[in-house]
Amino acid sequence: MKITKATRHYRGIFETRSAEQIRELAHTKRFMERLATDPAFRQALGENLACPSKAAEAFGLELDPAEVPTLWRVDHRKWRHSDERQRWPKAAAWDDYIKDMLTHRDMIRDEGATEHIHPKFDRWRQRQIRRSYSELGASAHAVVHPIVAFELSEGCTVGCWFCGLSADKFRGHVSYDEKGEMWKGVVKAMNDRFDTAVQTGFCYWATDPCDNPDYDRFIEDYYHITGALPQTTTAAPLKDEALTRRVLALFDKFKTVTNRFSVLSVRHLDKIHGAFTPEELMGVELVLQSKHSLSAKAHAGRARERVQKLREAGRSEKISELEIDHTTIACVSGFLVSMVRQTVQLVVPVPGSDKYPLGYRVFGERHFEDAASFGAAIDDLIDTHMMADMPAHWPARFRADLVCEPVKNGFRLISRCQEHTIENPSCGRLAGELIVSGHHTMGEVVSALVEAGTDLMVAAEFMDTVFSAGVLEEYSSDVEADTYRAEALAAAVPAE
């Protein structure tokens, strides 16, 4: 069993701090959760600026807000990154903890790399990551692109109004007693192909982990096969408190990633805080989804439907609770596996839209009967939808969301959140013009560059750079690319 850099870093977050430091962080964390979720608490703080401990005591908080003014006083926030940090050690400790957690998040993205294990898959995934930075808006840097997600239930009992994946109503779960052996074979098949990159995986999607009473048995198997305990995100931590506590006990035992509870209202927060101490929730991030919380909902799934309904009703002022630039909650660039339906899909995150209302795109789907056929399905999806080299016969078009501007030696591509310049003095400008025209395949662009005097290797390498940057339209397969090409050629022929 391999211990990755991400796991070592995560365990170090807790092991390098004393028990007292962890305790203080836990109580700071509880203060921040109340601050971000509860408007009544924010009002109480504002009314007790001279003695904010009164507000904290009224809401059952141990931390004195006066010890962490840089975390909540607007006029003090400018001190957070200056020498004044030393005046507020608890606030500085919280800042350092958050930095450590963000570093771990980024390390998870890096742990998904399979360059030396499965180069064809890695090339595809890295292209999707580059695409996401210019396409996903505010969502991009929070997406860590795990390579796999497993669903152990079908549908969801919670029914959050903002669900970015529009989860269906609950229709049942996988029994460990019935499918435990298949489960271990499926996880092993992924581990055999992708090694430590499988440690980025998790076991929910448009489902809630607490809807499966055997959930903790499934994820403990995952740890023993892959070396990492998958992250648990649940909106129902109190539905089966014994199950939740078993999951938290696994965190205490293995410590590889932080779990998450979605908080649906202030009342929900009250119940969670009442059931678990600050120390018990140290390994749990509370995702604050209540109406008056300071966090935004992704513009996908049911939240996107709500925006559309509000606009149709002439109530656009209500849209402020949703952040339109937070485009998706989908995060997997890889495989979505349903253990109930026994299907595996190849998916990537994309902005929620009419074409992709759930904020992810499905490239292909396969069915499996057992672990062996699951492995074959994974291999077939890769062979069908991932190219080892730049596909010369694919139409060369920039993504529809990009605006292309010529520059001296190439072109600048402008998206909703990024500008990306690609240059080459011998062929960059012409390549941009040819791609913008939309009339050529990638191979034809290379040929045109060579005819204009560019060395063949230089032209081919430049087009491969453009392809790898994730700025071109992506086709799900050769069949889709050929179909588009045929339709484009037919449309270009004038009617007789």
Side-chain angles (χ1 to χ4, degrees):
M1 188 179 296
K2 298 179 181 178
I3 305 299
T4 65
K5 290 181 180 179
T7 296
R8 284 196 296 271
H9 174 84
Y10 187 77
R11 289 174 179 171
I13 292 174
F14 300 91
E15 292 170 356
T16 59
R17 290 172 166 90
S18 68
E20 178 59 22
Q21 288 173 324
I22 294 295
R23 192 193 71 80
E24 289 183 354
L25 282 173
H27 285 273
T28 303
K29 177 174 174 289
R30 178 147 297 196
F31 166 80
M32 297 299 289
E33 291 161 354
R34 179 64 63 178
L35 179 70
T37 306
D38 194 342
F41 178 58
R42 295 195 291 270
Q43 181 178 347
L45 280 175
E47 293 171 352
N48 291 277
L49 292 177
C51 188
S53 61
K54 291 182 180 180
E57 291 169 3
F59 284 82
L61 300 175
E62 179 178 309
L63 179 75
D64 183 352
E67 296 182 284
V68 292
T70 61
L71 299 183
W72 63 280
R73 289 281 296 271
V74 174
D75 57 334
H76 284 118
R77 287 178 187 171
K78 63 183 178 180
W79 293 345
R80 293 180 68 176
H81 302 292
S82 71
D83 292 340
E84 293 292 331
R85 253 174 63 98
Q86 298 177 12
R87 292 182 59 186
W88 317 112
K90 289 187 178 181
W94 177 254
D95 283 343
D96 292 340
Y97 168 75
I98 293 299
K99 288 176 185 177
D100 282 344
M101 296 298 288
L102 291 175
T103 297
H104 177 252
R105 181 195 68 185
D106 294 339
M107 291 177 78
I108 293 175
R109 185 184 299 117
D110 295 339
E111 292 292 353
T114 58
E115 180 181 3
H116 302 296
I117 306 165
H118 206 309
K120 182 186 285 190
F121 175 78
D122 188 69
R123 180 172 168 83
W124 176 86
R125 177 177 176 270
Q126 294 300 331
R127 188 168 68 251
Q128 305 310 321
I129 292 174
R130 296 184 190 107
R131 171 192 54 78
S132 74
Y133 282 136
S134 66
E135 189 177 40
L136 296 186
S139 303
H141 291 282
V143 175
V144 298
H145 300 272
I147 73 164
V148 65
F150 297 92
E151 291 188 297
L152 302 173
S153 305
E154 186 76 4
C156 179
T157 62
V158 182
C160 301
W161 69 263
F162 53 82
C163 179
L165 297 174
S166 293
D168 293 331
K169 291 183 179 179
F170 182 70
R171 294 196 295 275
H173 67 270
V174 176
S175 165
Y176 185 87
D177 289 338
E178 293 177 5
K179 289 191 176 180
E181 290 306 311
M182 179 192 289
W183 165 249
K184 286 185 278 191
V186 164
V187 176
K188 185 177 185 303
M190 285 294 296
N191 195 66
D192 288 346
R193 284 162 176 77
F194 302 105
D195 199 44
T196 55
V198 183
Q199 295 189 12
T200 64
F202 55 97
C203 299
Y204 57 89
W205 188 252
T207 56
D208 192 285
C210 289
D211 282 337
N212 190 315
D214 298 328
Y215 176 76
D216 58 311
R217 299 173 70 184
F218 284 104
I219 64 172
E220 186 165 10
D221 279 349
Y222 200 96
Y223 175 84
H224 291 302
I225 294 169
T226 70
L229 192 70
Q231 182 186 71
T232 295
T233 296
T234 176
L238 304 178
K239 176 182 179 179
D240 183 346
E241 189 174 323
L243 171 60
T244 300
R245 289 189 178 279
R246 292 198 301 272
V247 172
L248 296 185
L250 289 174
F251 165 84
D252 290 337
K253 185 176 181 180
F254 300 128
K255 279 193 176 66
T256 57
V257 71
T258 288
N259 295 311
R260 300 190 299 179
F261 293 171
S262 291
V263 179
L264 309 183
S265 65
V266 175
R267 185 180 179 186
H268 195 204
L269 178 71
D270 293 340
K271 291 182 177 180
I272 291 171
H273 279 182
F276 301 97
T277 67
E279 290 81 2
E280 287 174 328
L281 291 184
M282 191 59 209
V284 180
E285 175 190 359
L286 297 195
V287 184
L288 308 173
Q289 303 284 19
S290 65
K291 184 178 179 181
H292 299 291
S293 73
L294 301 181
S295 60
K297 283 77 175 173
H299 187 59
R302 291 198 191 107
R304 183 173 177 275
E305 292 170 7
R306 177 174 169 81
V307 168
Q308 294 170 330
K309 289 178 181 178
L310 288 171
R311 283 176 174 158
E312 291 169 0
R315 302 176 64 193
S316 296
E317 74 280 358
K318 294 289 185 179
I319 297 175
S320 60
E321 68 190 54
L322 298 154
E323 185 178 337
I324 303 303
D325 197 43
H326 183 25
T327 56
T328 183
I329 67 167
C331 60
V332 171
S333 288
F335 307 99
L336 173 57
V337 183
S338 169
M339 292 300 295
V340 176
R341 291 180 283 110
Q342 294 181 198
T343 60
V344 53
Q345 297 175 318
L346 181 64
V347 301
V348 295
V350 295
S353 64
D354 290 341
K355 187 175 183 180
Y356 303 113
L358 302 183
Y360 69 96
R361 176 182 179 183
V362 179
F363 280 84
E365 178 175 319
R366 300 291 185 273
H367 184 269
F368 61 92
E369 295 292 340
D370 50 28
S373 59
F374 171 80
I378 292 291
D379 295 340
D380 189 46
L381 284 170
I382 291 172
D383 290 341
T384 302
H385 301 288
M386 300 180 191
M387 310 298 131
D389 301 303
M390 181 194 75
H393 58 289
W394 279 17
R397 298 183 300 150
F398 289 121
R399 294 195 331 251
D401 63 299
L402 295 174
V403 175
C404 181
E405 295 180 348
V407 296
K408 182 177 180 181
N409 294 317
F411 46 87
R412 179 184 299 111
L413 299 168
I414 304 170
S415 73
R416 64 191 299 151
C417 57
Q418 188 181 72
E419 291 187 7
H420 188 52
T421 300
I422 303 178
E423 295 181 293
N424 184 294
S426 67
C427 62
R429 179 91 177 227
L430 176 57
E433 293 171 357
L434 293 169
I435 297 172
V436 166
S437 74
H439 298 150
H440 309 278
T441 65
M442 295 186 193
E444 289 169 350
V445 172
V446 172
S447 296
L449 297 177
V450 172
E451 290 177 6
T454 302
D455 178 79
L456 173 60
M457 295 298 292
V458 172
E461 183 177 354
F462 181 76
M463 280 303 294
D464 185 70
T465 297
V466 176
F467 174 63
S468 299
V471 297
L472 299 178
E473 286 289 355
E474 186 101 0
Y475 303 96
S476 64
S477 65
D478 286 347
V479 173
E480 183 184 356
D482 292 343
T483 299
Y484 174 84
R485 175 70 169 162
E487 291 175 349
L489 289 174
V493 176
E496 294 183 1

